[in-house]
Amino acid sequence: MPNSIEFKLFAPNNKKASLIGSFNSWQEAPMIKSEDGYFRTSVELEDGIYQYKFRVQSNEWEEVVDPYATEIDPHTSGAVVRVKDGNRILDTYVWQNDDKPLPDNQELVMYELHVADFSGSNANSEKREVLKRVVDKLDYLKELGINAIELMPLNEHPGKYNWGYLVSNFFALENSYGFPEDFKRLVDECHARGIRVILDGIYNHSASECPLLKIDRTYWYYATKKEHKKETDYWGPEFNYEYYDEKLDIRPAWKFIGDVVRFWIQEYHIDGIRFDAVSQLASLDIEKPNFNFINWITDEAKKAAGNKPFYNIAECIPEQPSVVASQGPMDGLWHESFRMFITETICNDVFDLDKLQEVLEPKQQNYPTTNKLVNYLASHDQERLLGKLGNAGISEAAAFKRAKLAAVLLMTAVGVPMIWMGEEFGESKRKSKSTEQASPIRWNLLDNQLNHDLFEYYKKLITLRKQNPALHSENVDLFHQDSENKVLAYQRWNEEGSRVVVVANFSEQDLAQYKINQFPEHNNWYDWLAGNDVKAKDNQLIVDLGEHEAKVFVSK
């Protein structure tokens, strides 16, 4: 028995609109406009799956996809509407693991990935199984010790394979990855394993294919390109968060993106958002930063998440400490300077104590709260460490020694560690020059001894990072700095007495019977990586340090 299903389109400045779809042989059905700016019409539909589009008129008629479409049909490029029991639905998925406890923000060990490249799935395939293949690899991430994944954008984008940073339909899952219930199952299976799911949110700009541009560009976007310090900082039509519609008493761009954020949190149960290009979303004047929109949108995200832990993370380059200050809008901030200085030290034999001290003691960078920083050695935007080492002429065992040293710094530094997919086993392949060129990670590298050893090394460090509360604190003290031998030592601790000490040799020399004075007061220590007990006497530790080796000592 058919039931009345409503279709609506928000287009307050357009003159006329009509509905076309597979249910009416794509013939126009007129829509009625109300004072609230919506065009509406209803269609009698049996239970089933249909495709539809709108036609809207301003000066000319334009055919557009529903900006609020939650699924795009790959064959008709139309929005999908599903009707079951007389009601419009997204899918029939039943959540299984909503009651599972999840780690707090400061306890996270994050893993950034592109779903197609990580899973090895072909996004150009008609099978639409990319997300299903990611589920197949969740036990690998669980074994590694990951408790949060940060997914590059999943929204519908032009073409099939893409990095996803040009969004065409903000409510729709990229159709080449799978169906809405596939992403729900991925999130559910992550939660079953204690893994939180953080989604990359693109709210500065959109692809030129976004239907809002065809409906009424100047209602949601700037009419022309804003001024940028660099031409390369323009990636597409930019949302105008300053425009206010007095008649309807709304800020259109705020309303739309607010609806987007609430939808992904409430419908897909995600646990955080990484906000792309925050420096473009607001005026980040050091004296008087304008956080109006960002304060509002992050607050809306927290409200939508309810009582469960939620993580609002900013990608803001150049870094702005005010983003994570006590009155700042974000819970986390990508610590790009950590990546820059650590990889420069590891790859180029540059031992700049001032720079190392800055990123290991980030209060020197004017960060008032430092455990909100997200540290990484590589990301989707940057080359992997093994690739950089190869470019510097360092390969094989020598490169893996340095990669292990970098891993120790990453997992013991103040802040939350993040691994770019494949980094944990030494993937060295350069990132694609084009965002439309697939670059799957090479899982067969794990069959090599050096790669497998690095994976096991990361596992040990991640276990320490998650288990030892000293590494969840903001406390850090660089108590030993030896420029001549290129040795650095620092301790981490918490108020309950847990201590971790890292001694790092950045030189190409083996340092036998190396003496470290002012060693923290505690007699009995455990060498976490070697697996043996160590004694310190009279605040001095004598230790053998191999070239580019780090030792990690845990108080017993």
Side-chain angles (χ1 to χ4, degrees):
M1 176 179 176
N3 286 272
S4 180
I5 303 298
E6 184 185 63
F7 293 82
K8 63 180 183 178
L9 173 68
F10 183 63
N13 293 333
N14 294 74
K15 299 173 182 176
K16 295 181 180 179
S18 59
L19 171 71
I20 59 175
S22 58
F23 40 74
N24 64 1
S25 302
W26 300 94
Q27 300 301 307
E28 292 190 37
M31 303 178 75
I32 305 300
K33 189 176 184 180
S34 304
E35 290 186 0
D36 61 4
Y38 281 91
F39 289 90
R40 293 179 174 87
T41 190
S42 294
V43 180
E44 297 292 313
L45 294 179
E46 301 273 3
D47 285 4
I49 303 173
Y50 307 90
Q51 297 83 43
Y52 70 98
K53 293 182 182 180
F54 296 116
R55 297 193 74 228
V56 295
Q57 183 192 20
S58 49
N59 293 324
E60 299 179 356
W61 283 92
E62 290 276 4
E63 187 173 288
V64 300
V65 176
D66 185 351
Y68 281 74
T70 55
E71 185 181 348
I72 304 298
D73 181 79
H75 303 293
T76 64
S77 297
V80 174
V81 58
R82 296 171 183 267
V83 180
K84 183 176 174 60
D85 298 330
N87 294 306
R88 192 170 183 163
I89 65 166
L90 181 64
D91 54 63
T92 58
Y93 189 82
V94 178
W95 293 90
Q96 304 294 320
N97 299 294
D98 266 358
D99 58 343
K100 294 293 191 296
L102 296 171
D104 289 332
N105 293 346
Q106 74 272 14
E107 299 172 339
L108 298 184
V109 178
M110 298 167 59
Y111 192 92
E112 188 195 12
L113 64 93
H114 181 282
V115 289
D117 287 345
F118 173 75
S119 65
S121 307
N122 182 2
N124 291 310
S125 168
E126 296 297 322
K127 293 183 178 180
R128 302 174 69 177
E129 292 183 339
V130 172
L131 293 170
K132 290 180 179 178
R133 301 289 76 82
V134 176
V135 172
D136 295 341
K137 292 193 177 295
L138 290 182
D139 286 339
Y140 165 84
L141 293 176
K142 179 71 174 176
E143 180 189 354
L144 178 59
I146 298 302
N147 58 15
I149 56 174
E150 183 176 304
L151 304 174
M152 290 172 68
L154 297 183
N155 313 80
E156 182 73 28
H157 53 66
K160 291 189 175 179
Y161 179 90
N162 200 293
W163 280 12
Y165 290 97
L166 287 174
V167 177
S168 53
N169 295 87
F170 282 82
F171 291 81
L173 181 74
E174 166 55 36
N175 66 68
S176 64
Y177 293 162
F179 298 88
E181 63 186 27
D182 295 327
F183 184 44
K184 289 186 177 180
R185 179 169 174 254
L186 170 58
V187 174
D188 214 9
E189 291 291 338
C190 282
H191 289 169
R193 294 164 175 80
I195 298 173
R196 288 173 60 180
V197 180
I198 297 162
L199 197 59
D200 221 330
I202 316 303
Y203 309 130
N204 168 66
H205 60 280
S206 76
S208 57
E209 291 85 347
C210 182
L212 297 177
L213 288 157
K214 288 185 177 181
I215 295 169
D216 185 355
R217 174 175 181 141
T218 57
Y219 194 69
W220 287 278
Y221 297 84
Y222 289 103
T224 57
K225 192 161 54 171
K226 289 191 300 183
E227 286 189 18
H228 293 280
K229 291 181 180 178
K230 297 185 296 183
E231 185 66 25
T232 53
D233 285 344
Y234 178 80
W235 303 297
E238 294 162 311
F239 287 105
N240 183 352
Y241 293 112
E242 298 174 288
Y243 174 66
Y244 173 68
D245 181 339
E246 292 185 0
K247 180 180 177 182
L248 294 179
D249 188 26
I250 61 169
R251 294 185 182 275
W254 287 42
K255 178 187 183 303
F256 181 75
I257 296 300
D259 290 345
V260 169
V261 165
R262 285 186 290 270
F263 171 80
W264 284 89
I265 295 171
Q266 293 168 348
E267 191 66 46
Y268 289 109
H269 298 198
I270 62 171
D271 310 292
I273 295 173
R274 179 261 194 191
F275 287 77
D276 184 66
V278 164
S279 60
Q280 309 278 55
L281 289 176
S283 165
L284 296 182
D285 181 273
I286 293 175
E287 298 297 326
K288 294 182 179 179
N290 177 8
F291 289 142
N292 289 344
F293 170 69
I294 303 177
N295 274 324
W296 178 79
I297 196 66
T298 52
D299 189 49
E300 289 297 299
K302 290 285 181 73
K303 288 178 184 175
N307 294 326
K308 70 182 223 175
F310 198 83
Y311 205 9
N312 288 310
I313 307 170
E315 183 236 18
C316 185
I317 299 173
E319 296 169 33
Q320 289 283 0
S322 55
V323 171
V324 285
S326 58
Q327 300 302 313
M330 294 290 175
D331 306 308
L333 173 68
W334 272 27
H335 197 191
E336 173 66 6
S337 56
F338 179 92
R339 181 202 66 80
M340 290 173 59
F341 295 159
I342 297 299
T343 57
E344 180 182 344
T345 301
I346 296 294
C347 298
N348 300 327
D349 290 323
V350 174
F351 189 68
D352 187 327
L353 270 171
D354 290 338
K355 286 185 176 180
L356 283 172
Q357 192 159 1
E358 273 188 35
V359 295
L360 293 173
E361 290 186 336
K363 285 191 176 179
Q364 296 194 21
Q365 297 177 300
N366 297 316
Y367 283 105
T369 306
T370 52
N371 60 1
K372 290 185 176 182
L373 296 172
V374 176
N375 300 315
Y376 50 96
L377 301 171
S379 70
H380 68 272
D381 274 331
Q382 305 294 340
E383 299 292 348
R384 294 182 173 93
L385 182 62
L386 265 289
K388 283 181 169 290
L389 286 165
N391 295 339
I394 303 164
S395 60
E396 299 300 328
F400 280 86
K401 277 185 182 179
R402 296 180 187 228
K404 288 180 177 179
L405 171 56
V408 170
L409 300 173
L410 175 65
M411 290 299 160
T412 61
V414 177
V416 172
M418 182 181 77
I419 301 169
W420 169 230
M421 59 177 187
E423 193 79 5
E424 74 280 6
F425 61 80
E427 172 61 270
S428 59
K429 185 164 53 174
R430 294 176 61 86
K431 68 186 183 74
S432 302
K433 292 182 179 179
S434 168
T435 60
E436 298 175 0
Q437 180 183 346
S439 184
I441 58 176
R442 298 172 293 177
W443 291 102
N444 62 338
L445 289 175
L446 278 164
D447 297 333
N448 301 332
Q449 191 64 50
L450 287 171
N451 299 86
H452 187 266
D453 286 350
L454 181 59
F455 171 78
E456 293 294 336
Y457 200 81
Y458 262 94
K459 276 174 60 177
K460 279 186 179 181
L461 290 168
I462 291 171
T463 298
L464 174 66
R465 174 64 179 71
K466 290 164 61 180
Q467 289 182 356
N468 198 301
L471 298 177
H472 303 158
S473 76
E474 292 189 80
N475 301 324
V476 60
D477 175 27
L478 275 69
F479 66 88
H480 180 86
Q481 302 174 33
D482 180 353
S483 297
E484 181 180 351
N485 289 299
K486 296 184 178 180
V487 176
L488 185 67
Y490 55 90
Q491 69 162 321
R492 304 286 314 282
W493 72 95
N494 73 344
E495 312 315 330
E496 287 71 39
S498 295
R499 288 180 184 271
V500 174
V501 172
V502 176
V503 181
N505 176 14
F506 292 90
S507 77
E508 294 182 306
Q509 305 298 319
D510 289 331
L511 301 174
Q513 295 294 287
Y514 184 83
K515 293 181 181 179
I516 305 166
N517 296 318
Q518 286 81 50
F519 204 80
E521 288 186 15
H522 197 84
N523 289 332
N524 298 318
W525 297 85
Y526 179 73
D527 185 329
W528 186 264
L529 296 169
N532 57 267
D533 293 334
V534 175
K535 283 194 176 292
K537 294 182 180 179
D538 301 323
N539 294 108
Q540 185 184 79
L541 183 72
I542 299 175
V543 64
D544 292 335
L545 288 173
E547 62 172 295
H548 291 104
E549 182 183 23
K551 296 279 190 180
V552 180
F553 302 105
V554 180
S555 61
K556 292 186 67 177

